[in-house]
Amino acid sequence: LFRSISKQQHLEEQRRKLRETILQEIPSNPIDLYPQTRTKKRHFILHIGPTNSGKTYQALEEYKEADSAIYLAPLRLLAYEVYEKTNRAGIPCNMITGEESLIIPGATHQASTIEMLSVHNEYDLAVIDEAQMIEDPDRGGGWTRAILGVNAARIHLCLAPYAMQLIIQLIKECGDSYEIVRQ
């Protein structure tokens, strides 16, 4: 009986120490989850306007000109549309979504759903579409992660006006610069 109590106490002590170690590793500020990105000075271009005002079109024009770029969308269909248009323009582009991956040899561009962003890959430019989705209780974490963690020097955010203040607050928290383009 003494051995089983001692063994149980030992297991509980190990669990307590493991929990403390894990909690010590979690940063108090979420921006610190992306140390590679924090070493970079990023510049955001906020395309603010209503639906069908040309926000995404303008951002994608610079996307096509970049040496390497990623487009992040809320839907597979939007990612696929950018994938097709980019490849038709002669720019090799991969598409990676939760449903499928279409890999083009030598691709310099990528079109993905927001949740498929790898914060470890570095890009010259990123386009984050429908950034007002940051306020969505189910999927908003994907946009928060992308804004805080995308590893690109220039980042175009396409968003509705109501999300502007929240997103500016995040950009300032990261110490990055921004400009506003109203559509």
Side-chain angles (χ1 to χ4, degrees):
L1 181 66
F2 178 72
R3 281 189 181 169
S4 70
I5 292 172
S6 177
K7 189 174 184 179
Q8 185 177 6
Q9 287 174 338
H10 178 71
L11 286 173
E12 287 176 17
E13 179 64 18
Q14 283 182 318
R15 284 188 196 114
R16 186 188 64 73
K17 286 181 181 178
L18 179 60
R19 185 176 190 284
E20 285 177 9
T21 301
I22 290 171
L23 289 175
Q24 287 173 357
E25 294 299 316
I26 298 172
S28 59
N29 190 333
I31 70 168
D32 295 331
L33 290 169
Y34 311 100
Q36 185 178 1
T37 303
R38 294 290 71 78
T39 63
K40 180 176 287 221
K41 268 298 185 196
R42 303 180 306 160
H43 182 72
F44 286 82
I45 300 96
L46 281 64
H47 299 269
I48 301 171
T51 303
N52 294 325
S53 61
K55 300 181 302 284
T56 304
Y57 175 81
Q58 284 190 347
L60 288 175
E61 288 302 299
E62 189 174 339
Y63 167 86
K64 288 186 235 172
E65 298 297 321
D67 289 335
S68 66
I70 187 165
Y71 168 77
L72 299 165
L75 302 170
R76 179 211 169 273
L77 186 61
L78 291 173
Y80 186 73
E81 183 180 324
V82 169
Y83 160 82
E84 276 196 323
K85 285 180 180 179
T86 306
N87 280 298
R88 265 190 268 140
I91 303 161
C93 180
N94 295 328
M95 184 181 83
I96 301 174
T97 70
E99 298 171 14
E100 66 185 314
S101 294
L102 302 173
I103 306 300
I104 305 298
T108 56
H109 288 57
Q110 180 175 313
S112 293
T113 48
I114 193 84
E115 290 87 358
M116 300 309 295
L117 169 67
S118 170
V119 296
H120 303 292
N121 294 346
E122 188 171 348
Y123 305 95
D124 292 324
L125 183 121
V127 175
I128 302 173
D129 209 353
E130 303 293 345
Q132 71 275 2
M133 293 279 297
I134 195 169
E135 294 185 349
D136 184 273
D138 296 321
R139 294 187 64 207
W143 278 266
T144 303
R145 181 175 172 270
I147 292 167
L148 296 179
V150 69
N151 194 355
R154 288 179 61 81
I155 302 151
H156 289 263
L157 295 177
C158 304
L159 62 137
Y162 68 85
M164 183 178 79
Q165 291 308 315
L166 173 63
I167 289 174
I168 288 173
Q169 183 181 350
L170 283 176
I171 293 168
K172 286 180 176 179
E173 183 72 22
C174 291
D176 295 319
S177 62
Y178 69 93
E179 65 186 88
I180 295 173
V181 177
R182 295 198 185 270
Q183 310 298 145

